[in-house]
Amino acid sequence: MSVAATVPALMPVYPRCDVRPVRGEGAYLYGERGEKYLDFAAGIAVNALGHGHTALVKAIADQAATLMHVSNLYGSPQGEHFAQRLVDATFADTVFFTNSGAEAVECAIKTARRYHYANGNPERHDLITFDTAFHGRTLGAISATNQAKMRDGFEPLLPGFKYATFNDLEGALALIDGNTAGFLVEPIQGEGGIRPASMEFLQGLRKACDEHGLLLVLDEVQAGYGRTGKLFAHELYGITPDIIASAKGIGGGFPLGACLATAEAAKGMVAGTHGSTYGGNPLAMAAGEAVLDVIQGEGFLENVTRMGERLRSALEQLIPNHDHLFHSVRGHGLMLGIKLTSDSRRFVAHCRDNHGLLLVSAGENVVRVLPPLNIEEAHVAEFIEKLSEAARVYVPVADE
């Protein structure tokens, strides 16, 4: 038998489970056999408005019937309008649209390097990044992390990165030298285990950037866009970055990312320095506008905070009843993590296969809880009921 005959048509780079969604409605997914799941994974923080949100669906359908794609060689009234809304709502002065978080990170890295090049300091090309970080799967993004599971088999990786311990300010500052361009950091590590930066750490990085002429680059692909109850997570820390990579929730499920920057940080990004065939296409812009309309609606972010507090409180009350399994809760808003005493991947599979509850595992045996941002009290109550029952009957493996 030939090798080709044994390889599936869909490249097997994901260890796909038996959940096969064919339809979504609000906070629920439905499988091809009619199974119903409470979706507290939300496409890993992508489906910010749940599934089938009326305004988002209409915006996409209307734009698809009008104009889906044109070359970026032409003017973009759609991109200009959406970019201006983001500028008005954030620290940024300018925006580059991408199709994914990894592309947004790539643009952020290039922007940081080009800034120093434009200033006559091309040797300042190194970004200090942090252990257990996740920035995407491109060669640039995996070079920015020291996780072997991302890097093995893809060497040689790109130079220009140094690795410090997350939340260790002193260790990070010790790596600054004449080649340093800045820091690339997630304000809350997602894949790394819902690990929030400490106030001292993130504020200290900002101060160091100001003192040394460096750039603070934030990867808010998962933590941003309303997930913490703020439009961007750095607002919780009272700081402003120079550059942000954003994606996931920004399109509500439509492929969309963005690199936001101050005018100073983006001074080197002139015509010809970067580009994207699909980035900023009219269809993506329509999706982005529709999501932003909802997020900027009266009381929306306040409700994210309220539901996050309700969810956290319920989880903290649940822990003592299952302290053989649950250790603690971490995170902000509706970006929460449950630290387990055993293998989080196995428990996520148990919840999925036996209780119709979709969650996501992360580092440090953490279960990520990432529901749509528009969940209601009833969804929280249903989640706690399903999680409690799943924990009650779950039997950890002895050698976990």
Side-chain angles (χ1 to χ4, degrees), residues 254-269:
F254 193 92
L256 175 60
C259 177
L260 294 79
T262 65
E264 177 65 14
K267 67 192 297 182
M269 300 301 282

Side-chain angles (χ1 to χ4, degrees), residues 207-392:
K207 181 181 179 183
C209 287
D210 294 338
E211 291 176 349
H212 296 277
L214 309 178
L215 297 179
L216 181 60
V217 184
L218 297 185
D219 179 343
E220 292 221 29
V221 169
Q222 188 168 151
Y225 233 72
R227 178 99 345 228
T228 65
K230 300 291 186 182
L231 185 58
F232 285 103
H234 69 265
E235 297 172 44
L236 297 170
Y237 294 86
I239 59 125
T240 55
D242 300 294
I243 304 169
I244 275 186
S246 176
K248 289 192 180 287
I250 192 174
F254 193 92
L256 175 60
C259 177
L260 294 79
T262 65
E264 177 65 14
K267 67 192 297 182
M269 300 301 282
V270 297
T273 57
H274 198 49
S276 170
T277 296
Y278 296 109
N281 66 79
L283 194 52
M285 298 299 91
E289 294 254 22
V291 173
L292 189 58
D293 285 343
V294 176
I295 288 180
Q296 288 188 325
E298 185 177 355
F300 185 87
L301 290 176
E302 290 80 3
N303 191 61
V304 171
T305 298
R306 185 163 53 251
M307 288 298 101
E309 291 172 349
R310 170 74 180 88
L311 190 53
R312 176 188 282 273
S313 176
L315 287 170
E316 289 174 343
Q317 291 177 43
L318 190 65
I319 286 175
N321 299 328
H322 307 285
D323 55 7
H324 68 292
L325 177 62
F326 299 146
H327 177 271
S328 57
V329 183
R330 56 176 72 166
H332 294 282
L334 291 175
M335 185 178 183
L336 297 178
I338 310 168
K339 170 73 172 173
L340 267 57
T341 59
S342 59
D343 185 7
S344 63
R345 291 171 298 180
R346 186 169 176 269
F347 182 68
V348 165
H350 168 73
C351 291
R352 177 191 70 221
D353 298 339
N354 301 298
H355 299 275
L357 177 59
L358 301 182
L359 300 163
V360 189
S361 63
E364 297 190 340
N365 284 326
V366 166
V367 172
R368 278 181 276 185
V369 183
L370 304 166
L373 301 182
N374 54 353
I375 57 167
E376 301 171 355
E377 288 276 358
H379 298 122
V380 174
E382 182 181 356
F383 167 73
I384 292 298
E385 181 180 355
K386 287 180 177 292
L387 185 68
S388 179
E389 178 60 19
R392 187 183 66 81

Side-chain angles (χ1 to χ4, degrees), residues 34-352:
E35 321 93 290
K36 182 179 180 180
Y37 302 92
L38 179 62
D39 186 7
F40 268 46
I44 314 184
V46 168
N47 299 105
L49 306 182
H51 304 282
H53 190 277
T54 303
L56 178 57
V57 170
K58 184 179 187 304
I60 292 172
D62 289 349
Q63 187 61 50
T66 305
L67 183 66
M68 285 196 289
H69 172 80
V70 293
S71 169
N72 278 316
L73 294 173
Y74 309 128
S76 176
Q78 303 88 356
E80 291 165 6
H81 188 267
F82 185 34
Q84 187 61 56
R85 290 186 66 186
L86 291 175
V87 165
D88 291 343
T90 68
F91 73 98
D93 300 306
T94 189
V95 181
F96 180 85
F97 290 113
T98 69
N99 310 287
S100 67
E103 290 174 76
V105 169
E106 291 282 331
C107 182
I109 292 170
K110 289 180 68 175
T111 300
R113 288 186 172 183
R114 187 76 185 187
Y115 167 76
H116 293 290
Y117 177 88
N119 282 342
N121 302 304
E123 73 283 357
R124 300 182 72 171
H125 46 60
D126 290 351
L127 284 170
I128 297 170
T129 66
F130 298 89
D131 64 343
T132 67
F134 180 80
H135 298 296
R137 298 279 189 170
T138 64
L139 276 174
I142 65 173
S143 299
T145 181
N146 63 355
Q147 292 198 68
K149 66 180 181 180
M150 308 291 176
R151 300 160 58 107
D152 287 354
F154 298 110
E155 296 85 356
L157 299 177
L158 302 182
F161 299 95
K162 294 181 178 180
Y163 314 103
T165 300
F166 187 69
N167 271 332
D168 177 3
L169 178 60
E170 185 177 343
L173 299 184
L175 293 179
I176 296 174
D177 61 22
N179 298 124
T180 304
F183 299 97
L184 170 60
V185 60
E186 299 160 275
I188 305 174
Q189 289 192 336
E191 196 273 345
I194 310 296
R195 302 173 66 199
S198 69
M199 192 71 70
E200 176 189 20
F201 177 67
L202 209 55
Q203 290 183 350
L205 294 184
R206 175 69 272 174
K207 181 181 179 183
C209 287
D210 294 338
E211 291 176 349
H212 296 277
L214 309 178
L215 297 179
L216 181 60
V217 184
L218 297 185
D219 179 343
E220 292 221 29
V221 169
Q222 188 168 151
Y225 233 72
R227 178 99 345 228
T228 65
K230 300 291 186 182
L231 185 58
F232 285 103
H234 69 265
E235 297 172 44
L236 297 170
Y237 294 86
I239 59 125
T240 55
D242 300 294
I243 304 169
I244 275 186
S246 176
K248 289 192 180 287
I250 192 174
F254 193 92
L256 175 60
C259 177
L260 294 79
T262 65
E264 177 65 14
K267 67 192 297 182
M269 300 301 282
V270 297
T273 57
H274 198 49
S276 170
T277 296
Y278 296 109
N281 66 79
L283 194 52
M285 298 299 91
E289 294 254 22
V291 173
L292 189 58
D293 285 343
V294 176
I295 288 180
Q296 288 188 325
E298 185 177 355
F300 185 87
L301 290 176
E302 290 80 3
N303 191 61
V304 171
T305 298
R306 185 163 53 251
M307 288 298 101
E309 291 172 349
R310 170 74 180 88
L311 190 53
R312 176 188 282 273
S313 176
L315 287 170
E316 289 174 343
Q317 291 177 43
L318 190 65
I319 286 175
N321 299 328
H322 307 285
D323 55 7
H324 68 292
L325 177 62
F326 299 146
H327 177 271
S328 57
V329 183
R330 56 176 72 166
H332 294 282
L334 291 175
M335 185 178 183
L336 297 178
I338 310 168
K339 170 73 172 173
L340 267 57
T341 59
S342 59
D343 185 7
S344 63
R345 291 171 298 180
R346 186 169 176 269
F347 182 68
V348 165
H350 168 73
C351 291
R352 177 191 70 221

